[in-house]
Amino acid sequence: MTRPPSLRHEAVEIGRVVAVSLALAMTWSTLAYQPFTIPSASMEPGLIEGDYLVVSKWAYGWSGASLPLAPRPGEGRLLGRHPARGDVVVFRHPLRPDEPWIKRVIGLPGDRVQLRAGQVFVNDLPFARTALGSGRSASDPDRPATRLRETAPEGTRSWITHDFGPGAPGDDTPVMVVPDGQYLVLGDNRDNSLDGRWPPDVGVGFLPAANLIGRAEIVVASWKPGASLWKPWTWFNLQGRWFTPIR
């Protein structure tokens, strides 16, 4: 007759299963894909507060920033690749690496970037802007905005931005020359984004390549403000955004 396993044996087996599961999850989130939530309105209208998105880690290779426990990014990247202009990237803030931020890559190494009356110029070539009518900020619905389609000079990619009118801080900048191994990033909610137009103690400054976590790929779902993992009664407070590709 087979002797039933002891409670100690069962506990050890359960511990092994849990340890292997955690190791696999950690490996997957380090090397392949990792989920993030959008904490602010700086990427409206394409991404809104409460969006739950997936980031591909392998898109640009790996650095210390790829590790989930947020160590210092260090220097260099394993199998590093440049983001393309227009990519939406998640990265560790240059001064506060425990904070993941999300912005759009506008300037690549060596580019000369400038904003003039809110319009972006790269190497003296303008980003075309086409008005799409009025819009509203999900985080500030009482503030009218203009929706603009912004197209990079190469003409191959475009995205939607919000503009709240002339004269906003950051609408006019000096020429910013992007250093080697770094990028200039901007928020799509152009008048409500602390980004590469400001030094890192205020915004982002130039973003080191080593700080990149990955490329934002898809919005899986979106929760209304106030929803939280720790509030089970809010789990179904959804905003109707499902499996939306990020452009």
Side-chain angles (χ1 to χ4, degrees):
M1 184 173 180
T2 304
R3 185 177 182 181
S6 66
L7 290 177
R8 180 179 179 182
H9 176 76
E10 289 185 353
V12 169
E13 288 303 311
I14 291 172
R16 286 176 179 170
V17 170
V18 170
V20 170
S21 299
L22 289 175
L24 290 174
M26 185 73 72
T27 301
W28 179 258
S29 65
T30 299
L31 299 180
Y33 294 95
Q34 185 173 348
F36 286 91
T37 54
I38 297 295
S40 73
S42 70
M43 288 297 291
E44 289 183 353
L47 296 173
I48 61 177
E49 190 173 355
D51 280 353
Y52 184 81
L53 54 88
V54 172
V55 172
S56 82
K57 294 287 193 74
W58 50 265
Y60 311 129
W62 297 270
S63 72
S66 306
L67 300 174
L69 298 181
R72 293 282 172 180
E75 299 291 335
R77 301 188 70 82
L78 176 65
L79 302 178
R81 294 176 291 277
H82 283 299
R85 194 186 320 282
D87 281 2
V88 176
V89 297
V90 174
F91 57 91
R92 300 204 183 281
H93 189 276
L95 297 184
R96 299 181 296 279
D98 57 319
E99 296 181 9
W101 285 40
I102 184 167
K103 303 292 179 190
R104 189 180 297 277
V105 173
I106 298 296
L108 303 176
D111 281 346
R112 293 175 290 108
V113 182
Q114 185 178 27
L115 274 78
R116 308 173 196 167
Q119 186 172 17
V120 178
F121 290 76
V122 172
N123 302 323
D124 292 322
L125 297 175
F127 280 39
R129 298 197 297 172
T130 304
L132 301 177
S134 60
R136 293 284 176 180
S137 168
S139 61
D140 190 2
D142 295 327
R143 187 181 184 188
T146 299
R147 298 173 72 247
L148 299 170
R149 179 173 296 279
E150 186 172 79
T151 304
E154 297 88 348
T156 56
R157 301 185 69 175
S158 66
W159 45 87
I160 310 299
T161 66
H162 265 169
D163 184 81
F164 292 105
D171 271 1
D172 293 278
T173 71
V175 175
M176 299 169 283
V177 181
V178 184
D180 186 43
Q182 302 188 51
Y183 306 96
L184 188 132
V185 295
L186 298 178
D188 290 349
N189 197 1
R190 209 52 59 75
D191 294 335
N192 188 21
S193 175
L194 296 176
D195 47 40
R197 292 170 288 180
W198 287 274
D201 58 335
V202 177
V204 176
F206 293 119
L207 173 64
N211 287 58
L212 289 169
I213 295 174
R215 183 175 62 212
E217 299 284 1
I218 190 170
V219 175
V220 177
S222 185
W223 277 265
K224 295 178 181 178
S228 169
L229 178 65
W230 311 112
K231 301 175 182 177
W233 60 91
T234 68
W235 289 355
F236 297 101
N237 292 350
L238 298 168
Q239 303 189 94
R241 291 160 59 83
W242 298 93
F243 299 101
T244 305
I246 297 170
R247 294 183 170 86

